[in-house]
Amino acid sequence: MLPHYSLLLFLCLARLLSPSAALPFEQRGFWDFAMDSMDTGGMMTMMRDEEEGSAVDPTFPPGVPTCPFGCHCRLRVVQCSDLGLTEVPKDIPPDTKFLDLQNNRITELRENDFKGLTNLYGLSLRNNLISKVHPRTFVPLKHMQKLYFSKNLLTTVPKNLPASLVEIRIHENRIKKVAAGAFAGLSNMNCIEMGANPIQNSGFEPGAFKGLKLNYLRISEARLTGVPKDLPESLHELHLDHNQIQAVELEDLRRYKNLYRLGLGFNHIRNIENGSLSYLPRLRELHLDNNRLTHVPRGLPEMKYLQVVYLHSNSIGHVGVDDFCPRGFGVKRTFYNGISLFDNPVNYWEVQPATFRCVSDRHAIQFGNYKK
């Protein structure tokens, strides 16, 4: 019998001389991993499956959805932007939460483009060429809350928007008309951005916003000549800047008692009828810059919460001592922290210091006559 150390040496030599001996692995090709881990029978089976078309791609195990060609899929976000797509891609994973299709050349949304995407939360279609939307395109999107549809060729608001929708942005399209009930059933809607559409006041049919409890609405860069009628009473922010509004009449703001920010800059406003602002008891910001006002609007001293007033780039030639602050012991709950009066023909040295007695800090007043 061999000594135990001789037996050990013999076994080691036998192992080294064996064809199946383990040597340091040096990968020379992609399939080296597969070939090293498979026996001859396994390799033959895989080759036979390849020929028969039944081989399983190890990159995508059975039941795991693939990512559309050219797109990037990660953490339930599918990014297919800037690919020159002319239609919505197929095989979008059903668990997708956000789908990015912006900056493509999609011209139409068809009925089944989003079929099965019941978990979708947000959809971006910004900057495409979409002019046609099937009435049932959005029906499968039971939980979608955000829809970004800006910079397309829409002429009307898409039909049958998901009832779960909270925010829609459809500015920079070709919308000229908002039909009655265009937003029907959208009781959760919070924000609508529809500026830069060639829409006139007559383009809003009665009941266009019926049932909405909006917080934010912007209709800037349109063709409005006055404040639109029958907007949602719930509004906190209303932006109508860059239009052709000539005046603010007494009844224009009567419905909007909850407004805290009103944007009317870059219009043609010459007059704000006395008493118009009294309907806005909670207003905090008033933007009237770049208009044609000749005096400070009446009623500002009675606005207890007003903090910011933009009046620059108008034609104001005089500022009175009581134009901004209440007299005597009049109540103002919050002091102004921003008043802009620059680029007006008024001489700042003629304005009495007491005019700004309810301003938090002298730096809050922008009054320099900087325009040469």
Side-chain angles (χ1 to χ4, degrees):
M1 182 177 293
L2 293 171
H4 68 276
Y5 59 85
S6 299
L7 179 59
L8 180 61
L9 179 60
F10 175 78
L11 291 175
C12 289
L13 288 172
R15 175 62 176 168
L16 288 172
L17 294 174
S18 170
S20 62
L23 296 174
F25 176 76
E26 181 180 354
Q27 184 180 1
R28 301 183 184 277
F30 176 80
W31 287 107
D32 287 354
F33 284 112
M35 297 180 76
D36 184 64
S37 61
M38 301 174 90
D39 57 17
T40 304
M43 190 63 187
M44 292 301 294
T45 302
M46 181 174 179
M47 292 174 66
R48 184 170 59 254
D49 288 342
E50 283 273 355
E51 293 174 357
E52 297 174 357
S54 61
V56 177
D57 186 346
T59 309
F60 298 103
V64 176
T66 61
C67 188
F69 179 77
C71 302
H72 297 280
C73 302
R74 181 176 176 82
L75 301 177
R76 298 182 183 177
V77 174
V78 178
Q79 184 181 6
C80 303
S81 61
D82 303 276
L83 295 177
L85 300 175
T86 57
E87 60 183 28
V88 177
K90 307 295 183 184
D91 301 324
I92 299 172
D95 63 345
T96 299
K97 288 286 188 179
F98 187 86
L99 177 58
D100 181 5
L101 293 169
Q102 65 180 326
N103 302 327
N104 282 291
R105 302 185 64 81
I106 300 171
T107 59
E108 177 184 357
L109 297 182
R110 296 166 298 189
E111 180 177 2
N112 295 318
D113 277 348
F114 305 113
K115 185 178 181 179
L117 301 183
T118 56
N119 295 309
L120 197 67
Y121 172 85
L123 172 62
S124 177
L125 294 162
R126 182 180 176 275
N127 197 23
N128 275 278
L129 303 172
I130 301 170
S131 60
K132 184 178 180 181
V133 180
H134 192 279
R136 295 185 59 81
T137 293
F138 298 112
V139 171
L141 308 180
K142 304 294 185 182
H143 298 98
M144 188 170 71
Q145 296 190 25
K146 297 181 181 293
L147 175 59
Y148 304 119
F149 224 132
S150 307
K151 292 189 176 182
N152 276 279
L153 304 177
L154 296 176
T155 56
T156 60
V157 177
K159 295 182 178 181
N160 298 320
L161 294 170
S164 57
L165 205 61
V166 172
E167 176 182 347
I168 181 172
R169 298 183 181 270
I170 50 176
H171 59 288
E172 294 190 59
N173 276 274
R174 298 181 179 179
I175 298 173
K176 293 184 178 181
K177 180 180 178 180
V178 181
F183 301 102
L186 303 181
S187 59
N188 297 313
M189 184 68 76
N190 179 64
C191 168
I192 295 179
E193 162 64 87
M194 58 183 308
N197 282 286
I199 189 167
Q200 302 177 358
N201 285 72
S202 59
F204 294 100
E205 292 187 355
F209 297 95
K210 185 178 180 180
L212 289 184
K213 295 182 179 179
L214 282 182
N215 173 55
Y216 177 101
L217 175 62
R218 184 165 191 166
I219 316 174
S220 62
E221 301 177 75
R223 298 179 182 175
L224 303 178
T225 55
V227 178
K229 308 297 183 184
D230 300 325
L231 300 179
E233 296 182 6
S234 59
L235 284 173
H236 288 112
E237 292 194 42
L238 175 60
H239 298 273
L240 302 173
D241 51 283
H242 292 85
N243 277 285
Q244 302 165 23
I245 298 174
Q246 307 287 328
V248 177
E249 300 177 354
L250 186 61
E251 297 297 315
D252 284 346
L253 303 175
R254 190 184 187 99
R255 292 167 55 88
Y256 314 119
K257 295 179 173 59
N258 296 311
L259 273 184
Y260 66 77
R261 183 176 290 120
L262 175 60
L264 291 168
F266 290 91
N267 276 282
H268 303 159
I269 299 173
R270 296 179 181 274
N271 181 54
I272 297 178
E273 192 171 352
N274 290 349
S276 298
L277 299 178
S278 64
Y279 293 118
L280 308 177
R282 296 181 175 86
L283 197 68
R284 287 166 170 76
E285 288 190 24
L286 177 60
H287 298 241
L288 285 166
D289 54 288
N290 292 277
N291 276 284
R292 300 175 184 178
L293 296 172
T294 57
H295 60 269
V296 177
R298 302 290 183 259
L300 297 186
E302 287 74 44
M303 305 185 76
K304 299 178 181 180
Y305 298 98
L306 190 61
Q307 295 175 281
V308 176
V309 183
Y310 288 173
L311 291 168
H312 56 272
S313 301
N314 275 279
S315 300
I316 299 173
H318 174 76
V319 176
V321 70
D322 295 322
D323 279 350
F324 293 98
C325 303
R327 293 183 180 182
F329 297 99
V331 177
K332 180 136 178 64
R333 298 289 179 85
T334 57
F335 279 14
Y336 291 101
N337 55 40
I339 297 177
S340 66
L341 282 161
F342 63 87
D343 194 15
N344 278 286
V346 60
N347 296 319
Y348 66 87
W349 56 85
E350 296 178 355
V351 180
Q352 298 184 37
T355 301
F356 305 110
R357 57 189 178 273
C358 58
V359 177
S360 60
D361 186 89
R362 63 185 180 88
H363 296 293
I365 307 167
Q366 300 175 28
F367 212 147
N369 289 349
Y370 300 115
K371 188 175 182 180
K372 301 294 185 182

